Every structure is written in C-alpha cells, then in structure tokens.
Amino acid sequence: MSKPVLDASVTYSRVMLKISGEALMGDQGFGLHPPTVQRIAQEVKSVHDLGVEICMVIGGGNIFRGLAGSAQGMERTTADYMGMLATVMNALAMQSALEQLGVFTRVISAIPMDQVCEPYIRRRAVRHLEKKRVCIFAAGTGNPYFTTDTAATLRANEMACQAIFKGTKVDGVYDKDPKKFPDAKRYETVSYDECLAKHLGVMDASAIALARDNDLPIIVFSLDEPGGFRGILRGEGTYTRVAG
C-alpha cells in the first residue's frame, strides 16, 4: 500500500489530535458509541489522506474519571490508574475503527500491556509516524496526578509535532461558556499566559505551561463540524489558536 504524499495545501506535516473520552460516547451518558467512533475515525482518515503524520491522545472520561473516583473516597493514585486503563480501551476502539478504514495504526501505552498494545519507546513511535501510521498514545504519561491533556502535550513535544489540535464541542476558545451565555466572545488568537490567567479551560495549567515552554501552538476547534479537522489544516474553518 503506497504511503500518502503530503498535500501542498496543508499547514502542518505532523500534528497531535487530542480529544476527550466524552467525545466518543455520542449522545449516550456513558461508554462508547460505535457510530461516533467511526465518524471521528473518518475525520482522522481524511487528514491522513493528505499525507499528514498524526498522533492521537484520547481521554477516558466516558468510562472512568480518576478525579471523580477520588472525590468519592477512592485513593487518588488508584483512581488515576483506573482512568489510564480507560484511555487504553478508547484507544483500542479507535484503532479498530481506523483499521476498518484501511489506516495502519499503533496503540502505544505508557503502561506496558504487551498482549494488546506496544510499550512506549520514543524512537519506535517516531518510526511509525515516518511510515505514515497513526500513533494513538494511551495510559496518559503512566503517572498519577497528570491528565491526558498533559500527556498529549508531552507526547507532542517528544514526537516533534508542529501543533496540538484540541477537538471540542465548540468552535474555539470563548471568554465564557457559549452554551450558557449568548454574548460569549470567541477569541481568534489568545496567548498561553492569558489562558492561564483567565482560566479559559483550554487545557489544564500543566499542559498549557508545557506547550508555552516549548512554543507549541494549540488549535481549538469543533470536532462536531464535519470535515473541520481537515479544513483547518488547510487554513479554512473557525478555530482559536493559542500561542505566544
């Protein structure tokens, strides 16, 4: 199978796509919604077909959220490890959906579980990307107290990604919740420091600080917009760029 050649119209040649676990559950209140997983996989394939090298990190909140378990009296470290295992389940679901579309994919876990996925070895992961395989990084950083936002930023830096694409329910970063406040203002661009100072909720503070320290832009866009991921890579569509 021939590898796609990078399309001349795209802005970035290697990117990190970060999505929440909740994005995979569709209209359900819990778990995986297979048609939604397939729709997102189709979005990823459309970008892969442009020749872009893609890393992915998927949260686990649709199955188990460590902070929620901790709040209910569970020991925080144990709760966080359970959350990491949930991200592996989501990664395997996405791998299955992508490979049904003919996209070669590797699930790479920070917690070794050799029967179902690869352990994280940076140089091997880079080689997968060079071979145009989609790399889905699972189990967060492998450490408790760190979110999948931080894991995505860490892996994006290690893989030398040129940007993080944060797929959300809204088409960018707003000064307040646009679903509750009709007068909410969307930012075209916003600085890392402003995100931190105003608690804009783009990513958690550790992730934004890590992106800032390595000058890694974060593109926030709507994952519900068909063709949005592909369009933004070609300089089209509505999004917010977090940089500087």
Side-chain angles (χ1 to χ4, degrees), residues 178-198:
K179 293 185 176 172
K180 293 179 185 171
F181 303 96
D183 63 336
K185 172 175 148 278
R186 186 178 63 80
Y187 295 94
E188 291 285 336
T189 59
V190 62
S191 71
Y192 303 113
D193 289 337
E194 201 172 350
C195 283
L196 291 169
K198 293 184 177 177

Side-chain angles (χ1 to χ4, degrees), residues 22 59-87 143-148:
E22 287 90 343
N62 57 320
I63 298 169
F64 187 86
R65 187 175 285 283
L67 272 175
S70 176
Q72 292 170 25
M74 187 179 288
E75 199 258 325
R76 172 68 191 269
T77 303
T78 300
D80 278 359
Y81 278 122
M82 290 173 69
M84 289 179 220
L85 296 178
T87 70
N143 301 290
Y145 295 93
F146 289 95
T147 66
T148 50

Side-chain angles (χ1 to χ4, degrees), residues 106 108 118 123-135:
R106 294 291 185 273
I108 301 169
E118 290 185 8
R123 291 173 70 96
R124 183 191 288 179
V126 169
R127 188 72 184 120
H128 287 320
L129 290 171
E130 290 169 352
K131 290 184 175 181
K132 304 297 182 185
R133 296 166 182 156
V134 173
C135 289

Side-chain angles (χ1 to χ4, degrees), residues 9-78:
S9 67
V10 298
T11 321
Y12 304 105
S13 58
R14 181 180 293 176
V15 300
M16 166 64 74
L17 174 63
K18 167 63 172 73
I19 59 177
S20 67
E22 287 90 343
L24 304 186
M25 66 187 185
D27 295 329
Q28 302 172 158
F30 178 81
L32 290 157
H33 183 237
T36 300
V37 177
Q38 288 158 8
R39 179 182 64 79
I40 294 172
Q42 190 67 58
E43 292 279 323
V44 174
K45 180 184 186 298
S46 72
V47 171
H48 184 264
D49 289 346
L50 294 173
V52 178
E53 296 169 4
I54 303 169
C55 305
M56 291 182 73
V57 168
I58 307 171
N62 57 320
I63 298 169
F64 187 86
R65 187 175 285 283
L67 272 175
S70 176
Q72 292 170 25
M74 187 179 288
E75 199 258 325
R76 172 68 191 269
T77 303
T78 300

Side-chain angles (χ1 to χ4, degrees), residues 160-243:
C161 292
Q162 295 159 321
I164 300 174
F165 281 73
K166 175 83 187 278
T168 67
K169 294 278 186 189
V170 291
D171 59 356
V173 180
Y174 286 78
D175 59 352
K176 49 193 168 185
D177 189 341
K179 293 185 176 172
K180 293 179 185 171
F181 303 96
D183 63 336
K185 172 175 148 278
R186 186 178 63 80
Y187 295 94
E188 291 285 336
T189 59
V190 62
S191 71
Y192 303 113
D193 289 337
E194 201 172 350
C195 283
L196 291 169
K198 293 184 177 177
H199 304 286
L200 292 177
V202 178
M203 286 180 157
D204 66 78
S206 303
I208 292 172
L210 185 58
R212 179 191 61 194
D213 292 348
N214 293 278
D215 200 21
L216 182 67
I218 304 166
I219 312 292
V220 182
F221 72 105
S222 172
L223 202 60
D224 293 338
E225 185 70 35
F229 185 25
R230 180 185 173 101
I232 289 164
L233 269 159
R234 302 178 84 159
E236 304 158 3
T238 306
Y239 58 91
T240 297
R241 178 184 170 91
V242 182

